[in-house]
Amino acid sequence: MAETIKGLNIKLGLDTSDLDQKLKDINGELKEEQKDLKAINNSLKFDSTNLEKWKEKQDKLNSILENTKKRLEVQNARLEEAKKALQVGAISQEQFNQVKRSVE
C-alpha cells in the first residue's frame, strides 16, 4: 500500500523476512534433531538396556522441546506483526488470514 500525502510518499508493508529466516533455521534444526532421534531409537531397538542411549534420547527430546518453543515464539511474533499491519491497513484481511493459517 502506497499513499502520497502533501509530497510525502508513505509505504506501509509487512516485512517478516527476518522472522521467516528464523523460522526456517529452527525448522532445519528440528529436522536434524528428528533424524538424530530416529537413529537413537533404531539403536535402542537392538540394545534396550543401554542407559547411555536412553540418556541421549532424553537429552534429544528436551532439545526438540526447546526448539519447538522457539518456533512457537517466532510464529506468535509473526502473527502479532500481521495483526498490527492489519490494524494500520498495511495488509488486507486475506493476507492476514493467510499468515494466520500458516501459523496455525
Side-chain angles (χ1 to χ4, degrees):
M1 170 188 235
E3 189 174 323
T4 303
I5 303 174
K6 294 186 181 182
L8 288 175
N9 189 12
I10 302 170
K11 183 176 180 182
L12 299 173
L14 180 63
D15 182 22
T16 60
S17 58
D18 58 337
L19 292 176
D20 291 339
Q21 185 61 39
K22 285 181 185 178
L23 189 59
K24 186 177 178 182
D25 293 342
I26 291 171
N27 285 338
E29 290 175 19
L30 282 171
K31 283 182 182 181
E32 286 299 316
E33 288 178 340
Q34 289 291 340
K35 289 177 185 178
D36 293 343
L37 185 60
K38 186 176 179 180
I40 292 169
N41 284 332
N42 282 338
S43 66
L44 283 172
K45 284 181 185 179
F46 298 113
D47 184 15
S48 62
T49 60
N50 188 344
L51 291 178
E52 289 300 317
K53 284 293 179 185
W54 283 105
K55 286 175 114 178
E56 189 177 342
K57 181 177 180 175
Q58 186 64 40
D59 292 339
K60 189 57 66 179
L61 288 171
N62 286 334
S63 176
I64 289 172
L65 180 63
E66 288 300 317
N67 277 335
T68 303
K69 285 180 184 178
K70 286 182 197 175
R71 180 174 157 192
L72 181 61
E73 290 170 0
V74 169
Q75 287 178 330
N76 284 336
R78 185 177 183 197
L79 186 60
E80 287 301 316
E81 289 290 325
K83 283 180 184 177
K84 289 177 186 176
L86 180 64
Q87 288 174 349
V88 297
I91 63 171
S92 68
Q93 183 67 39
E94 289 177 13
Q95 290 170 321
F96 174 75
N97 290 340
Q98 185 181 19
V99 170
K100 188 177 177 182
R101 279 192 302 270
S102 71
V103 168
E104 289 175 351

